[in-house]
Amino acid sequence: QVQLVESGGGLVQAGGSLRLSCAASGRTSAIVRIAWFRQAPGKERERVAAMTWTGELRSYADSVKGRFAISADNAKKTIYLQMNNLKPDDTAVYFCAARRSVIGNYESWGQGTQVTVSS
């Protein structure tokens, strides 16, 4: 079992930056792929960024390409999402997730952290 705890959310003006962190614990050696998702009120959950636990095969939603970057510090067992040039449309609850397989569903989820971007 893997436990995930996000932090770093908050209120920021449009054009600003935030870095989200996700601390992993438990059976982290079993993690194959990690991702950040977000969900805004009244909208479906959207996968924002993903990569392997070792930093390969990065992918991003079109809406955040060039502005967001996913990374991980394996020694600290922490996943990051650097968000630059934030827009009001980025306002959402952000979740980190992990899975133990190359394909399939993400089994482990954090509790989420709120990001609010004011115009």
Side-chain angles (χ1 to χ4, degrees), residues 12-16 38 63 67-68 84-91 94 115-119:
V12 63
Q13 288 188 330
R38 68 185 181 186
S63 57
R67 300 188 299 120
F68 289 14
N84 299 324
N85 191 21
L86 283 161
K87 304 176 181 180
D89 283 349
D90 294 319
T91 295
Y94 284 71
V115 172
T116 303
V117 184
S118 63
S119 57

Side-chain angles (χ1 to χ4, degrees), residues 55-66:
E56 299 161 341
L57 301 178
R58 286 180 169 84
S59 64
Y60 297 93
D62 287 343
S63 57
V64 306
K65 277 182 183 176

Side-chain angles (χ1 to χ4, degrees), residues 5-66:
V5 178
E6 302 98 335
S7 61
L11 174 64
V12 63
Q13 288 188 330
S17 298
L18 279 176
R19 189 176 79 158
L20 305 182
S21 299
C22 174
S25 61
R27 289 194 61 201
T28 57
S29 60
I31 296 175
V32 172
R33 194 155 178 89
I34 54 178
W36 285 94
F37 289 77
R38 68 185 181 186
Q39 188 163 22
K43 294 186 177 180
E44 293 188 355
R45 187 174 60 192
E46 173 189 25
R47 192 180 73 184
V48 172
M51 70 177 198
T52 64
W53 183 235
T54 54
E56 299 161 341
L57 301 178
R58 286 180 169 84
S59 64
Y60 297 93
D62 287 343
S63 57
V64 306
K65 277 182 183 176

